Amino acid sequence: MSRSIVFIVYVNDAPQAARFYADLLELKPSFEDPGYVAFGLGDGAELALWSGETGSVTPEAPRTSEVCLTLPGGPEVIDRRFEQWTAKGVRVIREPRDEVFGRTFVVADPDGNLIRVAPVD
């Protein structure tokens, strides 16, 4: 069985979405093509942005999945990341709040895909 996994996020413009994610996550792409950009996340995991399969992604379409960035530390770390991201102008879906797994918030990328920030379990 393969030990690698790729999480694919459908976007309208992969290079444009890659600039957004690179800035937000402070990562550089590990692979770039006009329709597909990937970010190595370590331990055989990648986040890929793909514009070749969707036709047109609209921010208004309901989303049933999220990309989740987990951070070590307490609620203040989550709140600080929220402040950093809102200063960059991201669209906020859910303000920071406490859930059963800890402090969390949700933003959206330009195509409407959800990005959650939560503490490391």
Side-chain angles (χ1 to χ4, degrees):
M1 182 170 137
S2 175
R3 290 271 186 203
S4 65
I5 189 165
V6 178
F7 299 96
I8 298 173
V9 176
Y10 299 116
V11 297
N12 285 308
D13 182 325
Q16 179 182 357
R19 288 188 293 277
F20 173 85
Y21 279 87
D23 180 50
L24 209 61
L25 302 176
E26 299 174 355
L27 291 174
K28 292 185 179 192
S30 56
F31 178 85
E32 294 182 72
D33 182 80
Y36 186 91
V37 179
F39 294 88
L41 303 175
D43 294 332
E46 287 187 324
L47 172 65
L49 308 169
W50 190 15
S51 59
E53 186 65 24
T54 60
S56 181
V57 179
T58 64
E60 299 79 24
R63 297 305 200 273
T64 58
S65 63
E66 303 171 335
V67 171
C68 183
L69 171 68
T70 57
L71 301 175
E76 66 281 350
V77 173
I78 303 297
D79 289 341
R80 188 167 38 254
R81 185 61 56 103
F82 178 77
E83 292 167 9
Q84 291 169 344
W85 284 11
T86 54
K88 294 177 185 241
V90 299
R91 184 169 60 116
V92 175
I93 303 300
R94 289 205 177 89
E95 301 263 339
R97 65 181 188 201
D98 295 321
E99 294 288 351
V100 297
F101 51 83
R103 192 89 170 143
T104 186
F105 67 88
V106 179
V107 300
D109 73 10
D111 292 301
N113 298 300
L114 303 178
I115 305 164
R116 178 178 296 278
V117 175
V120 173
D121 288 337

